Amino acid sequence: MANLSTEQIKTILRGTEETLKMVLASEQYQKLQQSQYFDTTNDLTLGDAIQALSEVWEAIVNIQYSEEMAAIEAKR
């Protein structure tokens, strides 16, 4: 099991999100997605995966901010 820091997790999430955006923008992927045979079990799209990664990254940032604010308040 990998022992990742919060910053490493955020970096991986952002990198994966950017990679998926590049795939989504590629002409070849667009052709694949437009195929009549393109189907996912839950009708999920690459855009959904990108959105999910973005939301997880944002949640982590919110936790960090909240923890920083709580630490500042505790020092007062």
Side-chain angles (χ1 to χ4, degrees):
M1 180 181 288
N3 188 15
L4 300 172
S5 71
T6 300
E7 292 306 313
Q8 288 171 319
I9 292 168
K10 286 171 43 185
T11 299
I12 292 167
L13 290 172
R14 270 295 188 232
T16 303
E17 181 182 347
E18 292 305 315
T19 300
L20 291 178
K21 285 179 180 179
M22 287 190 309
V23 170
L24 185 61
S26 74
E27 185 178 329
Q28 183 59 33
Y29 180 78
Q30 293 299 319
K31 287 179 184 177
L32 291 168
Q33 190 176 17
Q34 292 172 6
S35 167
Q36 67 182 16
Y37 304 109
F38 185 88
D39 186 33
T40 61
T41 304
N42 296 315
D43 291 327
L44 295 174
T45 66
L46 203 49
D48 295 324
I50 293 167
Q51 181 66 32
L53 290 170
S54 178
E55 289 182 20
V56 169
W57 185 88
E58 187 67 34
I60 293 169
V61 169
N62 289 338
I63 290 168
Q64 288 179 309
Y65 176 78
S66 296
E67 288 175 349
E68 288 174 19
M69 292 298 107
I72 291 170
E73 286 296 317
K75 291 180 181 179
R76 292 184 177 175

Coordinates of all heavy atoms in Angstrom, one line a residue:
M1 N 0.8 -1.2 0.0 CA 0.0 0.0 0.0 C 0.9 1.2 0.0 O 1.8 1.3 0.8 CB -0.9 0.0 1.2 CG -1.8 1.2 1.3 SD -2.9 1.2 2.7 CE -4.1 -0.1 2.3
A2 N 0.6 2.2 -0.9 CA 1.4 3.4 -1.0 C 1.1 4.3 0.1 O -0.1 4.5 0.5 CB 1.1 4.1 -2.3
N3 N 2.1 5.0 0.6 CA 1.9 6.0 1.7 C 2.1 7.4 1.0 O 3.2 7.8 0.9 CB 2.9 5.8 2.8 CG 2.6 6.7 4.0 OD1 1.6 7.3 4.1 ND2 3.6 6.8 4.9
L4 N 1.0 7.9 0.6 CA 1.0 9.2 -0.2 C 0.7 10.4 0.7 O -0.2 10.3 1.5 CB 0.1 9.2 -1.3 CG 0.3 8.1 -2.4 CD1 -0.9 8.1 -3.4 CD2 1.6 8.3 -3.1
S5 N 1.4 11.5 0.5 CA 1.0 12.7 1.2 C -0.2 13.3 0.6 O -0.6 13.0 -0.6 CB 2.1 13.7 1.2 OG 2.3 14.2 -0.1
T6 N -0.9 14.2 1.3 CA -2.0 14.9 0.7 C -1.7 15.6 -0.6 O -2.4 15.6 -1.6 CB -2.6 15.9 1.7 OG1 -3.0 15.2 2.9 CG2 -3.8 16.6 1.2
E7 N -0.5 16.3 -0.6 CA -0.1 17.0 -1.8 C 0.2 16.1 -3.0 O -0.2 16.4 -4.1 CB 1.2 17.8 -1.5 CG 0.9 19.0 -0.6 CD -0.2 19.9 -1.0 OE1 -0.3 20.3 -2.2 OE2 -1.1 20.2 -0.2
Q8 N 0.7 14.9 -2.7 CA 0.9 13.9 -3.8 C -0.4 13.4 -4.3 O -0.6 13.2 -5.5 CB 1.7 12.7 -3.2 CG 3.2 13.0 -3.0 CD 3.9 11.9 -2.3 OE1 3.3 11.3 -1.4 NE2 5.1 11.6 -2.7
I9 N -1.4 13.2 -3.4 CA -2.7 12.8 -3.9 C -3.4 13.9 -4.8 O -3.9 13.6 -5.8 CB -3.6 12.5 -2.6 CG1 -3.1 11.2 -1.9 CG2 -5.1 12.3 -3.1 CD1 -3.8 11.0 -0.6
K10 N -3.3 15.1 -4.3 CA -3.8 16.2 -5.1 C -3.1 16.3 -6.5 O -3.8 16.5 -7.5 CB -3.6 17.5 -4.4 CG -4.6 17.7 -3.2 CD -4.4 18.9 -2.4 CE -4.0 20.2 -3.1 NZ -3.6 21.3 -2.2
T11 N -1.8 16.1 -6.5 CA -1.1 16.1 -7.8 C -1.5 15.0 -8.7 O -1.7 15.2 -9.9 CB 0.4 16.1 -7.5 OG1 0.8 17.2 -6.7 CG2 1.3 16.0 -8.8
I12 N -1.7 13.8 -8.2 CA -2.1 12.7 -9.0 C -3.5 12.9 -9.5 O -3.8 12.7 -10.7 CB -2.1 11.4 -8.2 CG1 -0.6 11.0 -7.9 CG2 -2.8 10.2 -8.9 CD1 -0.4 9.9 -6.8
L13 N -4.4 13.4 -8.7 CA -5.8 13.7 -9.1 C -5.8 14.7 -10.2 O -6.5 14.6 -11.3 CB -6.6 14.2 -8.0 CG -7.0 13.1 -6.9 CD1 -7.7 13.8 -5.7 CD2 -7.9 12.1 -7.5
R14 N -5.0 15.8 -10.1 CA -5.0 16.9 -11.1 C -4.3 16.4 -12.4 O -4.8 16.7 -13.5 CB -4.2 18.1 -10.6 CG -5.0 19.1 -9.9 CD -6.0 19.8 -10.9 NE -6.6 20.9 -10.2 CZ -7.9 21.1 -10.1 NH1 -8.7 20.2 -10.6 NH2 -8.4 22.1 -9.5
G15 N -3.3 15.6 -12.2 CA -2.6 15.0 -13.4 C -3.5 14.1 -14.2 O -3.6 14.1 -15.4
T16 N -4.2 13.3 -13.5 CA -5.2 12.3 -14.1 C -6.3 13.1 -14.8 O -6.7 12.8 -15.9 CB -5.7 11.4 -13.1 OG1 -4.7 10.7 -12.4 CG2 -6.7 10.4 -13.7
E17 N -6.8 14.1 -14.1 CA -7.8 15.0 -14.7 C -7.4 15.6 -16.0 O -8.1 15.6 -17.0 CB -8.3 16.1 -13.7 CG -9.3 17.0 -14.2 CD -9.7 18.1 -13.2 OE1 -9.3 18.0 -12.0 OE2 -10.4 19.0 -13.6
E18 N -6.2 16.2 -16.0 CA -5.6 16.8 -17.2 C -5.4 15.8 -18.3 O -5.6 16.1 -19.5 CB -4.4 17.6 -16.9 CG -4.6 18.8 -16.0 CD -5.6 19.8 -16.6 OE1 -5.5 20.1 -17.8 OE2 -6.5 20.2 -15.8
T19 N -4.9 14.6 -18.0 CA -4.7 13.5 -18.9 C -6.0 13.1 -19.6 O -6.1 13.0 -20.8 CB -4.0 12.3 -18.3 OG1 -2.8 12.7 -17.8 CG2 -3.9 11.2 -19.3
L20 N -7.1 13.0 -18.8 CA -8.4 12.6 -19.3 C -8.9 13.7 -20.2 O -9.6 13.5 -21.2 CB -9.4 12.3 -18.2 CG -9.1 11.0 -17.4 CD1 -10.1 10.8 -16.3 CD2 -9.0 9.8 -18.3
K21 N -8.7 15.0 -19.9 CA -9.1 16.1 -20.7 C -8.4 16.0 -22.1 O -9.1 16.3 -23.1 CB -8.8 17.4 -20.1 CG -9.8 17.8 -18.9 CD -9.4 19.1 -18.3 CE -10.3 19.4 -17.1 NZ -9.9 20.7 -16.5
M22 N -7.1 15.7 -22.1 CA -6.4 15.5 -23.4 C -7.1 14.4 -24.2 O -7.2 14.5 -25.4 CB -4.9 15.3 -23.1 CG -4.2 16.5 -22.7 SD -2.4 16.3 -22.7 CE -2.1 14.8 -21.8
V23 N -7.4 13.3 -23.5 CA -8.0 12.2 -24.3 C -9.3 12.6 -24.8 O -9.7 12.4 -26.0 CB -8.2 10.9 -23.3 CG1 -9.0 9.9 -24.0 CG2 -6.8 10.4 -22.9
L24 N -10.1 13.3 -24.0 CA -11.5 13.7 -24.4 C -11.4 14.6 -25.6 O -12.2 14.6 -26.5 CB -12.1 14.4 -23.2 CG -13.6 14.9 -23.4 CD1 -14.5 13.7 -23.7 CD2 -14.1 15.6 -22.2
A25 N -10.4 15.5 -25.6 CA -10.2 16.4 -26.7 C -9.6 15.8 -28.0 O -9.7 16.5 -29.1 CB -9.4 17.6 -26.3
S26 N -9.1 14.6 -27.9 CA -8.5 14.0 -29.1 C -9.5 13.6 -30.1 O -10.6 13.2 -29.8 CB -7.6 12.8 -28.7 OG -8.5 11.7 -28.4
E27 N -9.1 13.8 -31.4 CA -9.9 13.4 -32.5 C -10.3 11.9 -32.5 O -11.4 11.5 -32.7 CB -9.2 13.8 -33.8 CG -10.1 13.5 -35.0 CD -9.3 13.9 -36.3 OE1 -8.5 14.9 -36.3 OE2 -9.6 13.3 -37.4
Q28 N -9.3 11.1 -32.2 CA -9.5 9.6 -32.1 C -10.5 9.2 -31.1 O -11.4 8.4 -31.4 CB -8.2 8.9 -31.9 CG -8.3 7.4 -31.9 CD -8.9 6.8 -33.3 OE1 -8.6 7.4 -34.3 NE2 -9.6 5.8 -33.2
Y29 N -10.5 9.8 -29.9 CA -11.5 9.5 -28.9 C -12.8 9.9 -29.3 O -13.8 9.2 -29.1 CB -11.1 10.1 -27.5 CG -12.1 9.8 -26.5 CD1 -12.1 8.5 -25.9 CD2 -13.1 10.6 -26.1 CE1 -13.1 8.1 -25.0 CE2 -14.1 10.3 -25.2 CZ -14.1 9.0 -24.7 OH -15.1 8.7 -23.8
Q30 N -12.9 11.1 -29.9 CA -14.2 11.6 -30.4 C -14.8 10.6 -31.4 O -16.0 10.4 -31.3 CB -14.1 13.0 -31.0 CG -13.7 14.1 -30.1 CD -14.7 14.3 -29.0 OE1 -15.9 14.3 -29.2 NE2 -14.3 14.5 -27.8
K31 N -14.0 10.1 -32.3 CA -14.5 9.1 -33.2 C -15.0 7.8 -32.5 O -16.1 7.3 -32.8 CB -13.4 8.7 -34.2 CG -13.1 9.7 -35.2 CD -11.9 9.3 -36.1 CE -11.5 10.3 -37.1 NZ -10.4 9.9 -37.9
L32 N -14.2 7.4 -31.5 CA -14.7 6.2 -30.7 C -16.0 6.4 -30.0 O -16.9 5.6 -30.1 CB -13.6 5.8 -29.7 CG -12.3 5.3 -30.3 CD1 -11.2 5.2 -29.2 CD2 -12.5 3.9 -30.9
Q33 N -16.1 7.6 -29.4 CA -17.3 7.9 -28.6 C -18.5 8.1 -29.5 O -19.6 7.8 -29.1 CB -17.1 9.2 -27.8 CG -18.1 9.5 -26.8 CD -17.8 10.8 -26.0 OE1 -17.0 11.6 -26.4 NE2 -18.5 10.9 -24.9
Q34 N -18.3 8.5 -30.8 CA -19.5 8.6 -31.7 C -19.9 7.3 -32.3 O -20.9 7.3 -33.0 CB -19.1 9.7 -32.7 CG -19.0 11.1 -32.2 CD -18.4 12.1 -33.1 OE1 -18.2 11.8 -34.3 NE2 -18.2 13.3 -32.7
S35 N -19.2 6.3 -32.1 CA -19.5 5.0 -32.7 C -20.8 4.5 -32.1 O -21.1 4.7 -30.9 CB -18.4 3.9 -32.4 OG -18.9 2.6 -32.7
Q36 N -21.6 3.8 -33.0 CA -22.9 3.3 -32.5 C -22.6 2.1 -31.5 O -23.5 1.8 -30.8 CB -23.7 2.7 -33.7 CG -23.1 1.5 -34.4 CD -23.9 1.1 -35.6 OE1 -24.7 1.8 -36.1 NE2 -23.6 -0.1 -36.0
Y37 N -21.4 1.6 -31.4 CA -21.1 0.5 -30.5 C -20.6 1.0 -29.2 O -20.3 0.3 -28.3 CB -20.1 -0.4 -31.1 CG -20.6 -1.0 -32.5 CD1 -20.0 -0.6 -33.6 CD2 -21.7 -1.9 -32.5 CE1 -20.5 -1.1 -34.9 CE2 -22.1 -2.4 -33.7 CZ -21.5 -1.9 -34.9 OH -22.0 -2.4 -36.1
F38 N -20.3 2.4 -29.1 CA -19.8 2.9 -27.8 C -20.9 2.9 -26.8 O -21.9 3.5 -26.9 CB -19.3 4.3 -28.0 CG -18.6 4.9 -26.8 CD1 -17.2 4.7 -26.6 CD2 -19.3 5.7 -25.9 CE1 -16.6 5.3 -25.5 CE2 -18.7 6.2 -24.8 CZ -17.3 6.0 -24.6
D39 N -20.7 2.2 -25.7 CA -21.7 2.1 -24.6 C -21.0 1.8 -23.3 O -20.0 1.0 -23.3 CB -22.7 1.0 -25.0 CG -23.8 0.9 -24.0 OD1 -24.3 1.9 -23.5 OD2 -24.3 -0.2 -23.8
T40 N -21.4 2.4 -22.3 CA -20.9 2.1 -20.9 C -22.1 1.6 -20.1 O -23.2 1.9 -20.3 CB -20.3 3.4 -20.3 OG1 -21.3 4.4 -20.1 CG2 -19.1 3.9 -21.1
T41 N -21.7 0.8 -19.1 CA -22.8 0.2 -18.3 C -23.7 1.1 -17.7 O -24.9 0.9 -17.7 CB -22.1 -0.7 -17.2 OG1 -21.2 -1.6 -17.8 CG2 -23.1 -1.4 -16.4
N42 N -23.3 2.2 -17.2 CA -24.1 3.2 -16.5 C -24.3 4.5 -17.2 O -24.6 5.5 -16.7 CB -23.6 3.5 -15.1 CG -23.6 2.3 -14.2 OD1 -24.5 1.5 -14.2 ND2 -22.5 2.0 -13.5
D43 N -24.0 4.5 -18.5 CA -24.1 5.7 -19.4 C -23.2 6.8 -18.9 O -23.4 8.0 -19.0 CB -25.5 6.2 -19.5 CG -26.4 5.3 -20.3 OD1 -25.9 4.6 -21.2 OD2 -27.6 5.2 -20.0
L44 N -22.1 6.4 -18.2 CA -21.1 7.3 -17.8 C -20.2 7.8 -18.9 O -19.9 7.0 -19.9 CB -20.2 6.8 -16.6 CG -21.0 6.4 -15.4 CD1 -20.0 5.7 -14.4 CD2 -21.5 7.7 -14.7
T45 N -19.7 9.0 -18.9 CA -18.8 9.5 -19.9 C -17.5 9.8 -19.3 O -17.3 9.9 -18.1 CB -19.4 10.7 -20.6 OG1 -19.4 11.8 -19.6 CG2 -20.8 10.5 -21.1
L46 N -16.5 10.1 -20.2 CA -15.2 10.6 -19.7 C -15.4 11.9 -19.0 O -14.7 12.2 -18.0 CB -14.3 10.7 -20.9 CG -12.8 10.6 -20.7 CD1 -12.4 9.5 -19.8 CD2 -12.0 10.6 -22.0
G47 N -16.3 12.7 -19.4 CA -16.6 14.0 -18.8 C -17.0 13.8 -17.3 O -16.7 14.5 -16.4
D48 N -17.8 12.7 -17.1 CA -18.2 12.4 -15.7 C -17.0 12.0 -14.8 O -16.9 12.4 -13.7 CB -19.2 11.2 -15.7 CG -20.5 11.5 -16.4 OD1 -21.0 12.7 -16.3 OD2 -21.1 10.6 -17.0
A49 N -16.1 11.3 -15.4 CA -14.9 10.9 -14.6 C -14.0 12.2 -14.3 O -13.5 12.3 -13.2 CB -14.0 9.9 -15.4
I50 N -13.9 13.1 -15.3 CA -13.2 14.3 -15.1 C -13.9 15.1 -14.0 O -13.2 15.6 -13.1 CB -13.1 15.1 -16.4 CG1 -12.2 14.4 -17.4 CG2 -12.6 16.5 -16.2 CD1 -12.3 14.9 -18.8
Q51 N -15.2 15.2 -14.0 CA -15.9 16.0 -13.0 C -15.7 15.4 -11.6 O -15.5 16.1 -10.6 CB -17.4 16.0 -13.4 CG -18.2 16.8 -12.4 CD -17.9 18.3 -12.3 OE1 -17.5 18.9 -13.3 NE2 -18.0 18.9 -11.2
A52 N -15.8 14.0 -11.5 CA -15.6 13.4 -10.3 C -14.2 13.7 -9.7 O -14.1 13.9 -8.5 CB -15.8 11.9 -10.4
L53 N -13.2 13.6 -10.5 CA -11.8 13.9 -10.0 C -11.7 15.3 -9.5 O -11.1 15.6 -8.5 CB -10.8 13.6 -11.1 CG -10.6 12.2 -11.5 CD1 -9.7 12.1 -12.8 CD2 -9.9 11.4 -10.4
S54 N -12.3 16.2 -10.3 CA -12.3 17.6 -9.9 C -13.0 17.8 -8.5 O -12.5 18.6 -7.7 CB -13.0 18.5 -11.0 OG -13.0 19.8 -10.6
E55 N -14.1 17.2 -8.3 CA -14.9 17.3 -7.1 C -14.1 16.7 -5.9 O -14.1 17.3 -4.8 CB -16.2 16.7 -7.2 CG -17.2 17.5 -8.1 CD -18.6 16.9 -8.2 OE1 -19.0 16.1 -7.3 OE2 -19.2 17.2 -9.2
V56 N -13.4 15.6 -6.1 CA -12.6 15.0 -5.0 C -11.4 16.0 -4.7 O -11.1 16.2 -3.5 CB -12.1 13.6 -5.4 CG1 -11.0 13.1 -4.5 CG2 -13.3 12.6 -5.5
W57 N -10.8 16.5 -5.7 CA -9.7 17.5 -5.5 C -10.2 18.7 -4.7 O -9.6 19.1 -3.7 CB -9.1 17.9 -6.8 CG -7.9 18.8 -6.7 CD1 -6.6 18.4 -6.6 CD2 -7.9 20.2 -6.6 NE1 -5.8 19.5 -6.4 CE2 -6.5 20.6 -6.5 CE3 -8.9 21.2 -6.6 CZ2 -6.2 21.9 -6.4 CZ3 -8.5 22.5 -6.5 CH2 -7.1 22.9 -6.4
E58 N -11.3 19.2 -5.1 CA -11.9 20.3 -4.4 C -12.3 20.0 -2.9 O -12.0 20.8 -2.0 CB -13.2 20.8 -5.1 CG -13.7 22.1 -4.6 CD -12.8 23.3 -4.8 OE1 -12.1 23.4 -5.8 OE2 -12.8 24.2 -3.9
A59 N -12.8 18.8 -2.7 CA -13.1 18.4 -1.3 C -11.8 18.4 -0.4 O -11.8 18.8 0.7 CB -13.8 17.0 -1.3
I60 N -10.7 17.9 -1.0 CA -9.4 17.8 -0.3 C -9.0 19.2 0.0 O -8.5 19.5 1.2 CB -8.4 17.0 -1.1 CG1 -8.8 15.6 -1.1 CG2 -7.0 17.2 -0.4 CD1 -8.0 14.7 -2.1
V61 N -9.1 20.1 -0.9 CA -8.7 21.5 -0.7 C -9.5 22.2 0.4 O -9.0 22.9 1.2 CB -8.8 22.3 -2.0 CG1 -8.6 23.8 -1.8 CG2 -7.7 21.9 -3.0
N62 N -10.8 21.9 0.4 CA -11.7 22.4 1.4 C -11.3 21.9 2.8 O -11.4 22.6 3.8 CB -13.2 22.1 1.1 CG -13.7 22.9 -0.1 OD1 -13.2 24.0 -0.4 ND2 -14.7 22.4 -0.7
I63 N -11.0 20.6 2.9 CA -10.5 20.1 4.2 C -9.3 20.8 4.6 O -9.2 21.2 5.8 CB -10.2 18.6 4.0 CG1 -11.5 17.8 3.8 CG2 -9.5 18.0 5.2 CD1 -11.3 16.3 3.4
Q64 N -8.3 21.0 3.7 CA -7.1 21.7 4.1 C -7.4 23.1 4.6 O -6.8 23.5 5.6 CB -6.1 21.7 2.9 CG -5.5 20.4 2.6 CD -4.6 20.5 1.4 OE1 -4.9 21.0 0.3 NE2 -3.4 20.0 1.5
Y65 N -8.2 23.8 3.9 CA -8.6 25.1 4.3 C -9.2 25.2 5.7 O -8.9 26.0 6.6 CB -9.5 25.8 3.3 CG -9.9 27.2 3.7 CD1 -9.1 28.3 3.5 CD2 -11.2 27.4 4.2 CE1 -9.5 29.5 3.9 CE2 -11.7 28.6 4.5 CZ -10.8 29.7 4.4 OH -11.2 31.0 4.8
S66 N -10.2 24.3 5.9 CA -10.9 24.2 7.1 C -10.0 23.9 8.3 O -10.1 24.4 9.4 CB -12.0 23.2 7.1 OG -13.0 23.5 6.1
E67 N -9.1 22.9 8.0 CA -8.1 22.6 9.1 C -7.2 23.7 9.4 O -6.8 24.0 10.6 CB -7.3 21.3 8.7 CG -8.1 20.1 8.7 CD -7.4 18.8 8.2 OE1 -6.3 19.0 7.6 OE2 -8.0 17.7 8.4
E68 N -6.7 24.5 8.4 CA -5.9 25.6 8.6 C -6.6 26.7 9.4 O -6.0 27.3 10.3 CB -5.4 26.2 7.3 CG -4.4 25.4 6.6 CD -4.0 25.9 5.2 OE1 -4.3 27.1 4.9 OE2 -3.5 25.1 4.4
M69 N -7.9 26.9 9.1 CA -8.7 28.0 9.8 C -8.9 27.5 11.2 O -8.8 28.3 12.2 CB -10.0 28.2 9.1 CG -9.9 28.9 7.8 SD -9.2 30.5 7.9 CE -7.5 30.3 7.2
A70 N -9.1 26.2 11.5 CA -9.3 25.7 12.8 C -8.0 25.9 13.6 O -8.1 26.2 14.8 CB -9.8 24.3 12.8
A71 N -6.9 25.7 13.0 CA -5.6 25.8 13.7 C -5.4 27.2 14.1 O -4.9 27.5 15.2 CB -4.5 25.2 12.8
I72 N -5.7 28.2 13.2 CA -5.5 29.6 13.5 C -6.4 30.0 14.6 O -6.0 30.7 15.5 CB -5.8 30.4 12.2 CG1 -4.7 30.2 11.2 CG2 -6.0 31.9 12.5 CD1 -5.0 30.8 9.8
E73 N -7.7 29.5 14.6 CA -8.6 29.9 15.7 C -8.2 29.3 17.0 O -8.3 29.9 18.1 CB -10.0 29.3 15.3 CG -10.7 30.2 14.3 CD -11.0 31.6 14.8 OE1 -11.4 31.8 15.9 OE2 -10.8 32.5 13.9
A74 N -7.6 28.1 17.0 CA -7.1 27.5 18.2 C -6.0 28.2 18.8 O -5.8 28.2 20.1 CB -6.7 26.0 17.9
K75 N -5.2 29.0 18.0 CA -4.1 29.7 18.6 C -4.5 31.0 19.2 O -3.8 31.7 19.9 CB -3.1 30.0 17.5 CG -2.3 28.8 17.0 CD -1.4 29.1 15.9 CE -0.6 27.9 15.4 NZ 0.3 28.2 14.3
R76 N -5.7 31.5 18.9 CA -6.2 32.7 19.5 C -6.6 32.6 20.9 O -6.9 31.8 21.6 CB -7.4 33.3 18.7 CG -7.0 33.7 17.3 CD -8.1 34.3 16.5 NE -7.6 34.7 15.2 CZ -8.4 35.2 14.3 NH1 -9.7 35.3 14.5 NH2 -8.0 35.6 13.2

